[in-house]
């Protein structure tokens, strides 16, 4: 995710900015830049690539006030011109931004008609042009006026050539101020500040900030100044990168609601207006992927068939590339978090060779897959550091539902109202995930049932069959317990032979689903073989409490969307089991985040 740094004080700003950007590198980036006030005018340098590329391009700057940014592309591919900062037409203002400006297309059209010239493809650039229009000598006030017209999420920092002030604003993207003596700092996380100060002020949603070397003032959305006591940070720099969480995996599980939110923000309009898949004259769809992404594809098959009523087939990328293509679908959707998985790339080429239209779902703008396909739908989960996919998987589920809704609406299976209703339900799913996270201690408690097991089964039916395959994969990846996922109806065709009191079974049964009763019967079968059963079901389901040794509850949910909260609950379960077993959670042995070999 992008990183922001700002400095105003007595040191050469460029040194503080470059040091801060270095410490934000772990968030992932593809380009970086700085802007500073240099003898009464603004200077800016920005480059695609590593910070070293930027460093080599920097002249000797003397300025004491500046802002810097590492960009992780979401709107506009990685390039020098799309890197931040952005400068106003009069050259007097510079802006850096994290987040997504949802209404940027409309704003850009309006600004262009008023004579503003744009130099990039980003959503961010509208901010600096709006700021220029609002600026009457008070930078913070101009920023407050600017954000009033913005829909979306942001952390913004801005400077003007005339002074030592940095103005900032925040909504749903982190922003923290570091307090020094005759110098003050600003960053998107405390990691960037810890070598200078541990005295910080957290900026809250809706607030704007005015920061100079001697003073920091915070204002609420109504423009009233707010007081806040500084906090003292006791974390090390490494702890700070993890935002106070013990592991990246847990941090990234907690970023789930945001991943959902951002994936939806970036795509809702595209889905409604038909910018994704403008042509839907195909009769069938094939989904192709590897690893966790394949499990997202499996959920996608159920969603596609349920919502859009389009026949959908699935293939592992490593199989597809060598298959004969006898039952080829005209649209092939490739799902890959990294956009670099060798088998998925080869599958994309093969699909095109066979004359299919191709669409990639990926989390990385500018990744190789985006150059191999006809169309791209981006998930916007932000970079994931833990090897085990968590928030990126969640955002892939969202993408699957979005595509199903798009196809269903375009083909007339969904009316306009049902399409809006379906999108509304998807929006609510981030609240469901948040509610699971609010009760995470119950999941930690339930992890006792599993942490000593050698084998563990995960069972589910219908759309939660793939959810359980993914849950089993997650557990084996991070805890090294042998875990298998099964369609619950298949138990009696073999796996039952393996059950005894030392093999816990995790079973998901969603009240309201047409397979719910069948799942209860399967749970009874398992319990009759003495296996301890950990149930996963909806709040208030007393039947499940009666049959299972313990139950993890998720909020009441439409069965079709239940993989979203169930997934998060079981990611957390895998995490806590691995933690109890002292495993190397973020870097499991023998595994890689991106598999670029066959
Ligand atoms: C590796 C990762 C998995 C991922 C799979 C596919 O095995 O460890 O987490 O699901 O690759 O990666 P992709 O980037 O194509 O989604």
């Amino acid at each position: 995710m992008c990183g922001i740094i700002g400095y105003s004080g007595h040191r050469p700003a460029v040194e503080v900015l470059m040091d801060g950007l270095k410490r934000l590198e772990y968030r992932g980036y593809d380009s970086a830049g700085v802007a500073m006030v240099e003898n009464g005018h603004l200077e800016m340098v920005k480059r695609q690539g590593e910070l070293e590329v930027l460093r080599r391009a920097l002249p000797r700057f003397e300025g004491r006030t500046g802002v810097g940014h590492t960009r992780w592309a979401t709107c506009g591919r990685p390039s020098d011109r799309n890197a931040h900062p952005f400068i106003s037409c009069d050259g007097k203002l510079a802006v850096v931004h994290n987040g997504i400006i949802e209404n940027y297309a409309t704003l850009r059209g309006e600004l262009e008609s008023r004579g503003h010239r744009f130099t990039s493809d980003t959503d961010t650039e509208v901010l600096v042009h709006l700021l220029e229009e609002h600026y009457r000598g008070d930078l913070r006030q101009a920023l407050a006026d600017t954000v009033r017209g913005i829909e979306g999420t942001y952390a913004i920092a801005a400077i003007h050539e005339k002074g030592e002030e940095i103005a900032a604003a925040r909504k749903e993207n982190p922003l923290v101020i570091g307090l020094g003596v005759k110098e003050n700092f600003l960053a998107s996380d405390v990691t960037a500040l810890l070598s200078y100060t541990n005295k910080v002020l957290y900026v809250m949603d809706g607030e704007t900030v005015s920061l100079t070397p001697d003073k920091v003032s915070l204002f609420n959305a109504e423009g009233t100044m707010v007081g806040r006591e500084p906090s003292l940070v006791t974390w090390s720099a490494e702890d700070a990168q993890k935002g106070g969480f013990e592991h990246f995996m847990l941090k990234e599980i907690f970023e789930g609601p945001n991943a959902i939110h951002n994936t939806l923000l970036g795509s809702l309009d595209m889905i409604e207006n038909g910018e994704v898949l403008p042509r839907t004259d195909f009769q069938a769809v094939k989904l192709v992927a590897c690893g966790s992404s394949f499990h997202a594809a499996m959920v996608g098959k159920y969603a596609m068939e349920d919502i859009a009523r389009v026949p959908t087939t699935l293939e592992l990328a490593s199989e597809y590339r060598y298959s004969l293509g006898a039952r080829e679908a005209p649209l092939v959707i490739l799902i890959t978090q990294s956009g670099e998985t060798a088998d998925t790339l080869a599958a994309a080429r093969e699909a095109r060779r066979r004359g299919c239209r191709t669409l990639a779902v990926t989390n990385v703008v500018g990744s190789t897959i985006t150059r191999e396909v006809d169309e791209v739908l981006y998930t916007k989960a932000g970079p994931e550091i833990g090897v085990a996919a968590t928030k990126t998987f969640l955002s892939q589920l969202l993408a699957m539902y979005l595509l199903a809704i798009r196809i269903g609406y375009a083909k007339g299976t969904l009316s306009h109202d049902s399409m809006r209703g379906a999108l509304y339900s998807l929006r609510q799913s981030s609240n469901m995930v948040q509610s699971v996270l609010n009760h995470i201690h119950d999941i930690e408690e339930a992890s006792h049932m599993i942490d000593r097991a050698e084998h563990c089964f995960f069972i589910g039916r219908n759309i939660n069959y793939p959810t359980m395959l993914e849950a089993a994969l997650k557990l084996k990846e991070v805890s090294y317990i042998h875990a298998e996922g099964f369609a619950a109806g298949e138990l009696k065709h073999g796996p039952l032979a393996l059950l005894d009191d030392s093999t816990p079974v995790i079973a998901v049964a969603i009240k309201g689903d047409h397979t719910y009763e069948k799942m209860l019967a399967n749970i009874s079968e398992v319990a009759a073989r003495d296996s301890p059963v950990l149930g996963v079901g909806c709040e208030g389901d007393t039947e499940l409490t009666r049959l299972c040794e313990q139950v993890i509850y998720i909020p009441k949910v439409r069965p079709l969307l239940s993989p979203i909260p169930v997934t998060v609950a079981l990611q957390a379960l895998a995490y806590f089991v691995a933690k109890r077993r002292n495993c190397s959670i973020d870097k499991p042995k023998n595994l890689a985040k991106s598999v670029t070999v066959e």
Side-chain angles (χ1 to χ4, degrees):
M1 215 41 117
C2 308
I4 286 181
I5 174 88
Y7 176 75
S8 193
H10 49 78
R11 313 176 200 232
V14 69
E15 286 170 22
V16 181
L17 299 182
M18 289 303 287
D19 177 63
L21 292 181
K22 185 89 200 139
R23 290 173 195 279
L24 293 172
E25 265 188 322
Y26 79 96
R27 295 164 68 97
Y29 70 105
D30 46 59
S31 50
V34 293
M36 63 200 70
V37 181
E38 200 61 17
N39 298 319
H41 68 276
L42 283 190
E43 290 284 350
M44 174 185 72
V45 183
K46 51 189 194 175
R47 290 288 182 276
Q48 182 182 353
E50 305 269 300
L51 279 180
E52 210 27 57
V53 180
L54 174 65
R55 189 181 291 283
R56 283 200 294 271
L58 287 174
R60 253 188 96 79
F61 282 135
E62 304 288 342
R64 311 278 144 155
T65 300
V67 290
H69 190 267
T70 44
R71 174 173 190 252
W72 194 79
T74 51
C75 183
R77 61 174 42 254
S79 64
D80 286 357
R81 60 196 285 274
N82 287 338
H84 300 211
F86 292 100
I87 299 260
S88 55
C89 295
D90 64 8
K92 294 182 178 180
L93 289 153
V95 162
V96 292
H97 161 236
N98 293 350
I100 296 172
I101 307 299
E102 214 183 334
N103 57 336
Y104 84 95
T106 318
L107 292 171
R108 181 170 175 148
E110 291 165 4
L111 284 158
E112 281 176 335
S113 70
R114 295 199 292 269
H116 291 266
R117 278 168 290 105
F118 280 73
T119 57
S120 78
D121 313 314
T122 64
D123 52 343
T124 297
E125 200 183 346
V126 297
L127 293 173
V128 78
H129 295 288
L130 288 171
L131 194 64
E132 183 176 9
E133 290 194 343
H134 287 293
Y135 185 75
R136 312 253 184 288
D138 180 342
L139 187 58
R140 191 214 51 91
Q141 185 60 53
L143 186 57
D145 293 340
T146 296
V147 296
R148 212 163 287 131
I150 294 296
E151 287 162 28
T153 62
Y154 49 80
I156 306 169
I159 52 175
H160 188 278
E161 66 170 22
K162 92 167 168 42
E164 306 179 301
E165 183 184 9
I166 302 177
R170 167 200 164 150
K171 186 180 165 208
E172 290 178 38
N173 272 257
L175 200 56
V176 57
I177 289 162
L179 302 173
V181 177
K182 296 213 172 302
E183 58 179 353
N184 287 308
F185 309 78
L186 176 144
S188 36
D189 74 51
V190 284
T191 323
L193 308 177
L194 285 177
S195 43
Y196 304 98
T197 180
N198 64 351
K199 209 166 146 193
V200 303
L201 282 177
Y202 291 99
V203 183
M204 301 298 164
D205 264 359
E207 289 179 349
T208 51
V209 181
S210 164
L211 179 154
T212 64
D214 301 308
K215 198 167 171 211
V216 173
S217 315
L218 298 169
F219 297 81
N220 64 18
E222 287 72 48
T224 313
M225 203 188 281
V226 285
R228 183 156 308 137
E229 283 303 306
S231 318
L232 283 187
V233 179
T234 51
W235 300 338
S236 67
E238 202 199 319
D239 289 343
Q241 289 188 345
K242 293 180 189 146
F245 289 98
E246 204 174 332
H247 297 94
F248 280 111
M249 182 178 177
L250 188 61
K251 174 174 183 258
E252 286 158 0
I253 290 173
F254 269 86
E255 285 169 349
N258 222 288
I260 294 180
H261 194 62
N262 286 342
T263 300
L264 287 178
L265 258 189
S267 315
L268 283 180
D269 286 352
M270 289 162 63
I271 297 291
E272 269 202 79
N273 305 337
E275 289 162 36
V276 175
L277 288 175
R279 276 179 43 216
T280 48
D281 51 349
F282 45 80
Q283 298 307 317
V285 175
K286 183 179 287 273
L287 301 168
V288 177
C290 300
S292 292
S293 300
F294 183 71
H295 295 147
M298 286 180 83
V299 173
K301 174 181 158 66
Y302 287 91
M304 226 47 101
E305 295 190 337
D306 187 306
I307 299 172
R309 308 266 163 206
V310 174
T312 306
T313 52
L314 287 164
E315 219 157 333
L316 287 162
S318 54
E319 290 296 312
Y320 177 84
R321 60 184 295 191
Y322 297 117
S323 68
L324 299 176
R327 285 196 307 130
E328 198 48 87
L331 173 68
V332 175
I333 300 179
L334 302 116
I335 302 137
T336 165
Q337 174 277 125
S338 62
E340 302 295 346
T341 302
D343 282 321
T344 313
L345 292 175
R349 285 174 207 133
E350 180 58 21
R352 292 190 81 177
R353 197 190 62 75
R354 292 179 192 176
C356 306
R357 278 170 58 205
T358 51
L359 180 145
V361 173
T362 184
N363 198 43
V364 182
V365 176
S367 55
T368 309
I369 193 101
T370 63
R371 296 190 289 276
E372 301 282 353
V373 291
D374 302 313
E375 262 195 90
V376 182
L377 177 67
Y378 287 109
T379 53
K380 293 189 172 151
E384 198 171 59
I385 315 265
V387 165
T390 51
K391 62 175 179 170
T392 55
F393 178 77
L394 204 60
S395 66
Q396 288 173 340
L397 294 185
L398 265 287
M400 293 294 98
Y401 291 114
L402 282 170
L403 286 173
I405 293 169
R406 163 72 196 130
I407 296 171
Y409 179 50
K411 285 192 170 293
T413 323
L414 286 181
S415 66
H416 187 259
D417 283 355
S418 333
M419 181 268 289
R420 297 299 298 255
L423 291 177
Y424 177 79
S425 307
L426 269 190
R427 278 211 179 105
Q428 299 309 311
S429 66
S430 75
N431 297 341
M432 280 189 288
V433 169
Q434 191 55 55
S435 156
V436 170
L437 295 174
N438 293 347
H439 296 98
I440 202 160
H441 292 300
D442 298 344
I443 302 175
E444 181 168 16
E445 220 276 304
S447 68
H448 292 242
M449 271 184 73
I450 295 169
D451 63 346
R452 299 217 182 116
E454 274 183 47
H455 311 281
C456 194
F457 286 7
F458 287 76
I459 58 171
R461 281 175 181 258
N462 194 24
I463 200 164
N464 277 312
Y465 160 44
T467 315
M468 296 317 253
L469 293 181
E470 173 60 13
L473 177 64
K474 218 55 10 183
L475 186 71
K476 77 180 114 181
E477 278 179 312
V478 297
S479 76
Y480 311 143
I481 293 176
H482 169 227
E484 296 286 340
F486 296 104
E490 286 299 291
L491 278 185
K492 48 176 94 60
H493 300 294
L496 271 189
L498 296 172
L499 290 185
D500 58 28
D501 60 3
S502 68
T503 309
V505 174
I506 294 98
V508 58
I510 302 298
K511 206 158 187 173
D513 185 67
H514 60 286
T515 63
Y516 174 73
E517 301 293 340
K518 301 277 176 221
M519 272 311 303
L520 294 187
N522 291 132
I523 292 173
S524 303
E525 281 163 18
V526 166
R529 270 78 185 175
D530 294 331
S531 286
V533 183
L534 173 59
V536 182
C538 297
E539 276 160 2
D541 185 345
T542 47
E543 196 64 10
L544 214 49
T545 325
R546 195 176 59 76
L547 291 175
C548 303
E549 200 167 306
Q550 215 166 329
V551 181
I552 296 174
Y553 286 109
I554 59 162
K556 289 199 176 101
V557 54
R558 274 178 63 193
L560 185 64
L561 296 185
S562 59
I564 297 172
V566 173
T567 289
V568 175
L570 295 180
Q571 288 173 347
L573 182 72
Y575 171 79
F576 287 118
V577 172
K579 194 175 148 201
R580 293 178 67 80
R581 289 166 68 96
N582 278 326
C583 295
S584 163
I585 294 181
D586 288 330
K587 290 193 186 115
K589 64 175 192 259
N590 304 337
L591 298 183
K593 183 91 196 145
S594 172
V595 180
T596 52
V597 291
E598 223 186 298

